[in-house]
Amino acid sequence: MNALVVLAAILFLLMALIGGIKGIRSYLALFFNFAVIFILLFFLNDPNIDPIIFTIMASIVISCINLFYINKVNNTTIPAFISTIISIVVLLLFIIFLTKNAMIQGFGEEEVEELSIFSLYIGIDFTKIAASVMIMSTIGAITDTAIAVSSPMREIHFHNPTITRKDLFTSGLSIGKDILGTSTNTLFFAFFGGYLALLIWFKDLSYSLGEIVNSKIFSAEMLTLLCAGIGVTMVIPITSWITSLYLLKHQEKTNSN
């Protein structure tokens, strides 16, 4: 417990010194997001509640915290928020279709022994739970990519107010291409870093490569990783289009007033 407090204090000091007020807001946003996820988990235990609906609601709240609370409401966060929600809805439809056909919901055979003493008849749709887990695993990366694209686009428009919508959109795509590789690699190494123990477990079980790839646990995590990559890739053109449209519409409205 003391180590957690010390590390949390060091993180707070560094974020406050380097980020100032925005750094402090970012630090507090961590706890707000944790509270949202905790509340979501509480509601997911209720068989009478649709996990998909509450996941979308939680994603909207988390996006508001990460965008509007940290960076306030401005010409950067509004297009990023709209792009994030559009991307999540489109990705959710794809994930629901994927989870129903990939049959990755539930538990793998490696977990049967530990779960044998428990009843699995809990009245919860594991297909929807799997979709919710995928969405919650991608929301942070999608939001981060959206703000990373919309922020420099606003700067480009600010320094070149006569730029056309097409050129601004092209600039957004160019920015997205630069961050796409690092974003997808971040997701990739986050997966292998977080599930290194799982890979070691597979080695101890003497699994072949084919058995590892066809394992439900590994497949579920890889599908989550790939869906996150799809979401990060998809949000780039969406953010570029939304931001270019919003900035020029806002400029026209300002000039008319």
Side-chain angles (χ1 to χ4, degrees):
M1 183 63 183
N2 292 333
L4 294 177
V5 173
V6 171
L7 290 175
I10 293 174
L11 177 62
F12 174 77
L13 290 175
L14 290 175
M15 294 182 72
L17 290 173
I18 297 174
I21 298 299
K22 187 173 291 188
I24 295 175
R25 288 180 177 174
S26 300
Y27 182 82
L28 295 176
L30 295 174
F31 295 94
F32 295 152
N33 289 331
F34 176 79
V36 173
I37 295 176
F38 181 81
I39 295 173
L40 175 64
L41 293 176
F42 176 79
F43 281 105
L44 290 182
N45 287 328
D46 191 341
N48 299 318
I49 292 178
D50 191 337
I52 301 299
I53 296 177
F54 269 84
T55 300
I56 294 177
M57 294 173 60
S59 299
I60 293 174
V61 175
I62 290 174
S63 300
C64 290
I65 293 173
N66 293 340
L67 294 174
F68 298 140
Y69 174 72
I70 297 176
N71 300 293
K72 298 183 178 181
V73 180
N74 50 50
N75 292 341
T76 299
T77 56
I78 293 177
F81 175 77
I82 297 173
S83 304
T84 299
I85 299 305
I86 294 175
S87 300
I88 289 175
V89 171
V90 175
L91 186 62
L92 181 59
L93 297 175
F94 173 73
I95 288 176
I96 292 175
F97 172 80
L98 179 66
T99 51
K100 286 183 177 180
N101 290 275
M103 302 297 291
I104 60 171
Q105 66 274 10
F107 304 98
E109 60 181 9
E110 299 85 1
E111 303 166 300
V112 172
E113 183 177 351
E114 290 80 4
L115 297 170
S116 59
I117 61 175
F118 300 103
S119 173
L120 300 180
Y121 297 99
I122 56 178
I124 295 178
D125 190 340
F126 277 95
T127 302
K128 293 183 178 180
I129 294 295
S132 299
V133 170
M134 286 187 177
I135 286 296
M136 296 307 297
S137 300
T138 60
I139 178 64
I142 291 176
T143 305
D144 180 66
T145 304
I147 193 70
V149 172
S150 64
S151 181
M153 287 183 67
R154 185 190 67 170
E155 290 298 318
I156 293 173
H157 180 261
F158 176 78
H159 293 288
N160 186 15
T162 59
I163 189 171
T164 63
R165 184 182 301 173
K166 180 180 179 181
D167 291 339
L168 188 58
F169 173 76
T170 304
S171 299
L173 289 180
S174 179
I175 295 167
K177 291 177 183 177
D178 292 335
I179 65 176
L180 180 59
T182 55
S183 298
T184 51
N185 275 281
T186 299
L187 294 172
F188 177 80
F189 287 111
F191 164 77
F192 279 99
Y195 289 92
L196 183 60
L198 175 64
L199 300 178
I200 296 175
W201 186 24
F202 285 149
K203 182 179 180 299
D204 291 339
L205 293 174
S206 300
Y207 273 24
S208 65
L209 179 61
E211 289 174 325
I212 292 176
V213 172
N214 288 283
S215 170
K216 178 175 285 191
I217 301 176
F218 184 82
S219 298
E221 298 304 329
M222 284 303 298
L223 288 176
T224 301
L225 171 65
L226 294 174
C227 286
I230 292 172
V232 168
T233 306
M234 183 174 57
V235 77
I236 291 174
I238 294 177
T239 304
S240 301
W241 182 74
I242 293 293
T243 304
S244 60
L245 180 65
Y246 178 86
L247 290 176
L248 292 181
K249 287 289 185 180
H250 184 267
Q251 183 185 34
E252 292 175 1
K253 183 178 179 181
T254 302
N255 293 336
S256 63
N257 294 333

